[in-house]
Amino acid sequence: MKVRFRQFTSGWWPMGPPELMPAKTLRRMTGVHQTKVHTLRSRPGSSLLYALNAHSLFRFADARFQGVGTECFRNGALVKSGLNGNRLSFMRMAPTVGKRDYLFVAGGGSLFKVDDAGAVTNWGIVAPTTDPTAADNGAGTMAAGTYKYRITFKNSVTGHRSNANPTGVSVTIAASRQVQLTVIPTSSDAQVDQREVWRTLVGGTVYFLLATIADNASTTYNDNTADASVGSTELPTDNAPPNAAYNVTVGPHYGRAFWTAINLTGQKGRVVYSPVSRPESDQGFIDISNDDDPTQTAVIWNGSVWVWTEGKLYQIIGTTEPFTWREVQGAPGTTNPETVCVTPYGILYQSHDGLYLFNGAVARLLGFDAVGLLFRGETLEGVASMLGTAHAYARGEYLLSDNVSTIAINPGDGTWRNVGIACNALYYEDDTGKLIASINNKTVLFEEIGQVTDDGTAISFEIETPAVVTDVKKPGLTQRIYVEANTASQWLTPTLYVDGVAFALPQFRTSSRETVEFPKLVSGRVMSIRLVGSLTAQIEIYGIEIDLDIGVEAITPVPVLGSKEG
């Protein structure tokens, strides 16, 4: 009988008995092209962007950002140092209404923002810690009575201001006098280029914007403004900067930034949010859990903020305060926050027992029949158990890596492939259609059409057919193996597996589409063919066939033949 394997569109299937795999699947499938065209092509390679081993990747304002150790780079140039080395969380949003977007970065132990030209400043402005002094300054136009003053710092470029100094400074004057403020605090934050003076009306308690000092150096101000000329803008009190221990940020959601993964005792189950259109301010919070089940990450999808703790998934409900939340029944949490990914099919993430797809109502295991044991601590066909640390959704696939292996699933048809290389970080650029990855201690354009190596490193290629199994009382005898391929002059090493024993076949290569024949007499019950190569050119496999006689006695295998070159 002749056993043919000529279509390979159902993906990688390393689980279960090799003889019971679905049609068109492969037992091993490393380094194979993402696009399915019935034949089997090796995947494209990668081209170098930066010699940086990135753990975090993002794109903003036509620039590429790389988190590398304790530093952050923009287009390969250092823009921020002194971070803690953890993976970074990125959000793009306008700092105030009418301003251009900034890139806000959390997760590195120091919150910062980057403008579209690459300038880095702190995320938020710390309030003055000292108070000015106020005293009668001679004849003026102010009414008799008591006035109070406070000071805020401001960034005129972003429009953001700090909270005010700790206490209001009082002064009492007679009629037709004026007030002088001295020792007005200055800021050590380079983004502060203005100070604002706030004052009550005579005898009042509400502070209104009195004046703006257009520098960060002057320490005196003379106030000779009658109450009728004081502006109507009231002093805000909710401009405290977010805490550096807020590790994950998402937004904007109805104009607000949200933070999770908070590394503060008593706040680990908390979700914090900003005021509307002021992401540099910490306004309020809701406790959806506690320190025993801390929040891990969050995404914005389908009009809601979705938050994962270690054990559960929650939906934040509402468009403004007071926010509430609900637990999504039946949806498990995650301890692998770097696997949570929004896709056109829903949200994909790795939980404790497998890869889940959440569609807004229910979460179900995805692709478990093929590779599920990888997520439950077992090794399958050369791939060790996986705890994902990087992901991307790109070109119809969800890619997941643990910096040892990278696998990919097409959520539309549930087919898997083993990409065949470790990725420390992954990011898909929607505006360019490029997939960026950190591999081999470099940041690269990954699986880039036309590239035949990973920046000079050969691409590992390995496939293995499902097994052919004969009746328990009728062993089979292999007579010939055929491989039809164009290996582009690349050497492939074929191996015949019979009842778990490997029988080497001679290496071969072809320069065009050609069928290569291997005589091999081996008897047994369970048989498959494996092809392995280290490639510097793209190859294509058209088919693999085995000539098999059924019901023969066991014989001694013939000697291994020499190499064959097509």
Side-chain angles (χ1 to χ4, degrees):
M1 62 178 287
K2 189 179 291 290
V3 181
R4 295 182 173 89
F5 302 98
R6 299 198 65 85
Q7 293 191 32
F8 310 97
T9 56
S10 293
W12 181 43
W13 197 283
M15 261 176 56
E19 67 273 16
L20 295 181
M21 294 163 54
K24 305 177 186 179
T25 58
L26 287 167
R27 192 69 179 179
R28 296 199 175 201
M29 192 179 182
T30 301
V32 171
H33 201 290
Q34 171 214 357
T35 305
K36 305 177 184 71
V37 291
H38 296 293
T39 59
L40 205 63
R41 296 178 296 156
S42 57
R43 68 170 177 84
S46 309
S47 58
L48 179 66
L49 285 173
Y50 317 107
L52 296 172
N53 183 22
H55 55 63
S56 307
L57 299 167
F58 199 75
R59 182 173 175 84
F60 167 72
D62 296 328
R64 294 181 170 118
F65 288 80
Q66 307 84 41
V68 182
T70 59
E71 299 172 323
C72 184
F73 292 77
R74 178 181 181 268
N75 291 335
L78 179 66
V79 294
K80 176 71 174 178
S81 59
L83 305 176
N84 62 15
N86 293 339
R87 293 180 184 268
L88 303 178
S89 175
F90 301 92
M91 175 190 70
R92 61 177 300 160
M93 185 173 174
T96 55
V97 174
K99 302 296 183 179
R100 66 183 187 269
D101 280 357
Y102 276 64
L103 177 64
F104 292 90
V105 187
S110 175
L111 302 184
F112 62 99
K113 63 183 183 292
V114 188
D115 70 13
D116 53 13
V120 175
T121 49
N122 292 331
W123 184 341
I125 301 174
V126 175
T129 57
T130 59
D131 301 324
T133 59
D136 185 301
N137 195 36
T141 61
M142 297 172 65
T146 300
Y147 299 86
K148 294 181 180 180
Y149 294 85
R150 299 186 79 173
I151 305 295
T152 58
F153 296 146
K154 187 174 182 181
N155 179 339
S156 66
V157 177
T158 65
H160 180 66
R161 61 169 58 92
S162 71
N163 274 341
N165 56 291
T167 57
V169 176
S170 296
V171 61
T172 301
I173 59 174
S176 301
R177 305 292 289 177
Q178 62 177 297
V179 173
Q180 183 179 62
L181 299 180
T182 58
V183 199
I184 296 173
T186 59
S187 175
S188 61
D189 190 337
Q191 69 177 306
V192 174
D193 59 357
Q194 295 180 346
R195 273 87 41 80
E196 296 172 312
V197 181
W198 304 78
R199 195 194 85 187
T200 64
L201 302 181
V202 63
T205 58
V206 178
Y207 291 83
F208 298 94
L209 181 61
L210 174 67
T212 298
I213 303 172
D215 61 47
N216 187 31
S218 304
T219 57
T220 62
Y221 175 77
N222 291 327
D223 176 21
N224 192 28
T225 305
D227 281 359
S229 298
V230 173
S232 60
T233 302
E234 292 187 25
L235 174 67
T237 59
D238 57 355
N239 275 323
N243 195 293
Y246 297 175
N247 289 308
V248 172
T249 183
V250 294
H253 178 64
Y254 291 98
R256 301 176 189 266
F258 285 75
W259 295 275
T260 60
I262 298 171
N263 189 25
L264 294 171
T265 300
Q267 300 183 33
K268 295 180 181 180
R270 181 167 293 181
V271 178
V272 178
Y273 52 88
S274 78
V276 174
S277 300
R278 284 186 285 145
E280 298 194 69
S281 304
D282 181 340
Q283 180 181 28
F285 64 87
I286 50 176
D287 286 323
I288 65 172
S289 184
N290 53 52
D291 285 9
D292 292 333
D293 188 23
T295 62
Q296 300 292 295
T297 193
V299 299
I300 297 172
W301 177 72
N302 204 22
S304 292
V305 177
W306 305 87
V307 181
W308 282 258
T309 66
E310 291 183 353
K312 298 176 181 179
L313 169 60
Y314 295 88
Q315 178 185 14
I316 305 301
I317 299 173
T319 60
T320 190
E321 294 182 299
F323 293 101
T324 59
W325 71 95
R326 73 174 182 94
E327 177 188 342
V328 180
Q329 295 298 321
T334 185
T335 54
N336 304 100
E338 295 297 335
T339 69
V340 177
C341 180
V342 172
T343 79
Y345 301 91
I347 305 173
L348 277 163
Y349 66 101
Q350 183 181 350
S351 189
H352 316 284
D353 59 347
L355 185 70
Y356 278 81
L357 175 62
F358 174 65
N359 65 7
V362 296
R364 60 179 180 85
L365 286 169
L366 182 65
F368 185 84
D369 290 347
V371 304
L373 292 180
L374 281 179
F375 302 113
R376 297 188 178 183
E378 298 193 26
T379 296
L380 296 177
E381 296 296 334
V383 178
S385 61
M386 177 168 286
L387 294 175
T389 57
H391 78 272
Y393 181 79
R395 304 161 186 162
E397 282 188 320
Y398 171 76
L399 294 96
L400 180 66
S401 187
D402 60 359
N403 205 20
V404 176
S405 302
T406 302
I407 60 176
I409 185 171
N410 182 323
D413 60 19
T415 59
W416 292 91
R417 68 182 174 115
N418 177 12
V419 179
I421 192 169
C423 296
N424 193 34
L426 289 158
Y427 181 77
Y428 182 68
E429 298 178 347
D430 291 314
D431 59 336
T432 68
K434 303 295 185 181
L435 177 60
I436 313 301
S438 177
I439 63 171
N440 299 330
N441 298 317
K442 306 169 186 176
T443 301
V444 300
L445 293 173
F446 190 58
E447 294 198 331
E448 187 75 356
I449 298 298
Q451 299 297 320
V452 294
T453 66
D454 286 320
D455 187 40
T457 301
I459 294 173
S460 297
F461 179 84
E462 183 178 21
I463 63 170
E464 184 176 339
T465 66
V468 180
V469 62
T470 65
D471 187 271
V472 68
K473 295 181 180 180
K474 294 181 179 180
L477 175 66
T478 61
Q479 293 187 322
R480 289 175 177 80
I481 292 96
Y482 303 92
V483 178
E484 185 179 359
N486 177 2
T487 74
S489 299
Q490 304 292 293
W491 288 102
L492 291 184
T493 300
T495 303
L496 169 66
Y497 283 83
V498 179
D499 296 337
V501 179
F503 295 91
L505 300 173
Q507 282 188 318
F508 74 98
R509 63 180 179 178
T510 69
S511 58
S512 61
R513 180 173 178 175
E514 183 181 344
T515 300
V516 183
E517 177 183 339
F518 305 93
K520 194 69 174 178
L521 299 176
V522 182
S523 62
R525 292 193 58 244
V526 182
M527 306 172 186
S528 62
I529 303 295
R530 184 180 298 177
L531 300 177
V532 177
S534 184
L535 307 180
T536 57
Q538 189 174 64
I539 69 169
E540 190 163 13
I541 308 297
Y542 296 88
I544 300 171
E545 299 183 4
I546 305 173
D547 273 346
L548 189 63
D549 279 350
I550 304 297
V552 300
E553 298 295 329
I555 65 171
T556 302
V558 299
V560 174
L561 302 178
S563 296
K564 176 178 177 62
E565 181 174 342

